[in-house]
Structure formats: C-alpha cells, structure tokens
Amino acid sequence: MRALVLAAGQAIRLRPFTVESPKCLLDVGGKPILAHLLDALAAERITEAVIVTGYLGEQIRAFVRGTGVRRPFPVTIVENPRYAETNNVYSVWVSRERLLGSAFVICYADILFHPDILKGCLEGPGEICLAVSEEIHAESKKVTARGSRVL
C-alpha cells in the first residue's frame, strides 16, 4: 500500500510562520508535522510514500533526504508546478502515475492525527475510508455526514 502525502499548499493563514517554511515542517512536540506523519505511516503496511510538493518544495526534499535512514519505505517526491493556482485535486492528478496499480491512502502533510486513526482506516471493512472530525470549527468544515453517508 502506498501513501500519497499532499504537501504543496502555501498555508497563507499561518503567516508569518510559513513565509520561510512550509507548514508541514513547522515543529510540533519537538519535530516537524511531516515527521509525525511519516512515523505513523512507518507503523503501518506502507510500501512507499509519494509526497506532492509545491510551495517551498526544496525544503521538503531536503528534509526527506535528511531523514531517509529512519524510514522503512522509499519516498518519492512529485512536484505540483501549479500549486499556487490549483488545489489538492490537482496534486492528486500530478501524482496519478505513481499510484496506479496499488491501493493507497491520502494524507495531508500538515494535519496532526493520532496514529490509531490511520490504523482504523487501513483495517476497516470497506474499500474507501474517510476520517472526519465532528469537533471541527464551522469555518473550516469541508464535509458533513448524515448517518454513514458523506454529503
């Protein structure tokens, strides 16, 4: 199973913290957010991580090169050259050839979550799993559910 890690965004709402650093490399609990995600992926049956970069992508590349020894899977970097004018769907599109022929999980590089959430999704009975927090603020809510249906 592969992991697609979306890391192309500019994180404008977090400026000035993200003027010189991508959001996924901001420190939380003593290490970058992306390191927390890679650790969670390493604990599961991930065979490769495909990270889509854009904004300050060279810093993400350098981070991945510098932490390669600690990962049990290879990391491939794919660039979204149109990150400033597109969204996550386009980042998935530019990485599509790396994902063909294998099941994959999509993760945001800049969102912290408990590793049990990933484990639950990967071990779930369905082919598709969407992890959604119901405690999310209304301004950032992207999905809503009615029973087990995502609306």
Side-chain angles (χ1 to χ4, degrees):
M1 165 139 345
R2 293 183 179 131
L4 175 61
V5 178
L6 303 176
Q10 300 177 72
I12 293 169
R13 290 179 292 182
L14 276 179
R15 289 193 176 160
F17 303 106
T18 57
V19 170
E20 296 182 9
S21 177
K23 184 176 170 185
C24 66
L25 294 184
L26 295 178
D27 186 274
V28 174
K31 62 184 177 181
I33 297 170
L34 181 56
H36 289 280
L37 174 59
L38 293 174
D39 289 347
L41 295 173
E44 297 304 326
R45 58 184 188 270
I46 301 304
T47 59
E48 177 186 16
V50 177
I51 301 177
V52 182
T53 65
Y55 178 68
L56 300 175
E58 185 50 45
Q59 289 185 33
I60 297 170
R61 284 180 189 273
F63 172 77
V64 168
R65 281 192 304 264
T67 61
V69 177
R70 296 181 293 214
R71 277 188 318 277
F73 51 79
V75 174
T76 301
I77 303 289
V78 174
E79 184 180 348
N80 175 352
R82 297 180 56 202
Y83 69 89
E85 61 193 74
T86 61
N87 57 27
N88 287 327
V89 173
Y90 192 76
S91 288
V92 174
W93 176 254
V94 299
S95 61
R96 69 194 180 281
E97 291 190 15
R98 295 294 313 166
L99 303 173
L100 292 174
S102 174
F104 62 93
V105 58
I106 298 176
C107 300
Y108 295 104
D110 57 3
I111 295 180
L112 286 170
F113 59 88
H114 194 283
D116 287 347
I117 294 172
L118 176 62
K119 183 177 186 67
C121 285
L122 295 176
E123 292 177 356
E127 290 183 41
I128 298 173
C129 177
L130 177 64
V132 178
S133 171
E134 293 185 18
E135 298 174 8
I136 199 162
H137 297 286
E139 94 175 45
S140 62
K141 192 169 192 177
K142 308 285 187 204
V143 299
T144 188
R146 184 176 301 142
S148 62
R149 292 193 65 196
V150 175
L151 306 175

